């Protein structure tokens, strides 16, 4: 929920001088997956009465969806590149849903760089926002789903 702590890595813990690293895994303190959304990362370090705060934003989602264009026209080829946040059992399914038209799905093809790719030809008559949905099953058997939109002119 907005404004709630998703996970606390360390609190009131003394660390030696030098580099310290921590990698988040998208889970909360109870080890449950965090919901998709925008998160604020906050690091507070203090020494000798001086405190430094570093804040960064992070979008957490099952898939990073990168369409070749955010604005497309009928007849245009739309390439969708997908990066999964975790290993998958098989290639994800990518669906393009244009306004007023039947949704079309394609099994993404795994690329040599480990990402996935699906290609659609934008259909005529479906102007307005179109939804690109990526769905897949991770190696733990959990269903993962992410969406983004493109505009059809």
């Amino acid at each position: 929920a907005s404004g709630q702590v998703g996970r606390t890595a360390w609190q009131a813990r003394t660390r030696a001088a030098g580099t310290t690293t921590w990698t988040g895994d998208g889970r909360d303190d109870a080890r449950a997956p965090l919901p998709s959304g925008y998160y604020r990362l906050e690091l507070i370090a203090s020494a000798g009465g001086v405190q430094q705060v570093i804040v960064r934003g992070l979008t957490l989602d099952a898939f990073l969806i990168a369409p070749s264009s955010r604005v497309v026209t009928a007849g245009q080829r739309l390439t969708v590149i997908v990066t999964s946040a975790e290993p998958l059992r098989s290639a994800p399914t990518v669906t393009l849903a244009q306004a007023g038209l039947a949704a079309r799905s394609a099994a993404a093809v795994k690329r040599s760089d480990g990402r996935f790719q699906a290609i659609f030809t934008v259909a005529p008559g479906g102007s307005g926002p179109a939804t690109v949905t990526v769905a897949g099953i991770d190696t733990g058997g959990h269903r993962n789903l992410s969406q983004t939109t493109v505009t059809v002119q």
Side-chain angles (χ1 to χ4, degrees):
S2 181
Q4 300 298 311
V5 173
R7 183 155 182 196
T8 301
W10 297 310
Q11 187 171 2
R13 186 173 180 185
T14 302
R15 307 293 305 160
T19 301
T20 299
T21 61
W22 177 79
T23 302
D25 61 3
R27 296 184 180 279
D28 65 16
D29 286 330
R31 306 301 300 138
L34 290 164
S36 296
Y38 180 80
Y39 289 82
R40 178 181 163 185
L41 306 174
E42 188 174 279
L43 170 66
I44 303 170
S46 56
V50 177
Q51 182 172 324
Q52 182 166 357
V53 178
I54 300 171
V55 177
R56 298 287 185 268
L58 168 75
T59 299
L60 179 67
D61 213 341
F63 299 101
L64 172 63
I65 306 170
S68 54
S69 179
R70 289 282 175 186
V71 179
V72 294
T73 57
Q76 183 177 340
R77 186 171 150 156
L78 175 65
T79 301
V80 180
I81 305 296
V82 177
T83 305
S84 180
E86 53 190 350
L88 301 175
R89 283 190 177 169
S90 60
T93 299
V94 181
T95 302
L96 175 63
Q98 291 178 242
L101 302 176
R104 294 175 289 140
S105 296
V109 175
K110 192 166 190 175
R111 297 163 31 126
S112 61
D113 62 7
R115 297 182 297 169
F116 296 91
Q117 176 176 303
I119 300 172
F120 296 92
T121 299
V122 178
S127 297
T131 303
V132 177
T133 303
V134 179
I137 306 295
D138 64 31
T139 55
H142 303 102
R143 186 169 192 270
N144 295 304
L145 185 120
S146 296
Q147 294 183 320
T148 193
T149 57
V150 296
T151 300
V152 179
Q153 293 185 330

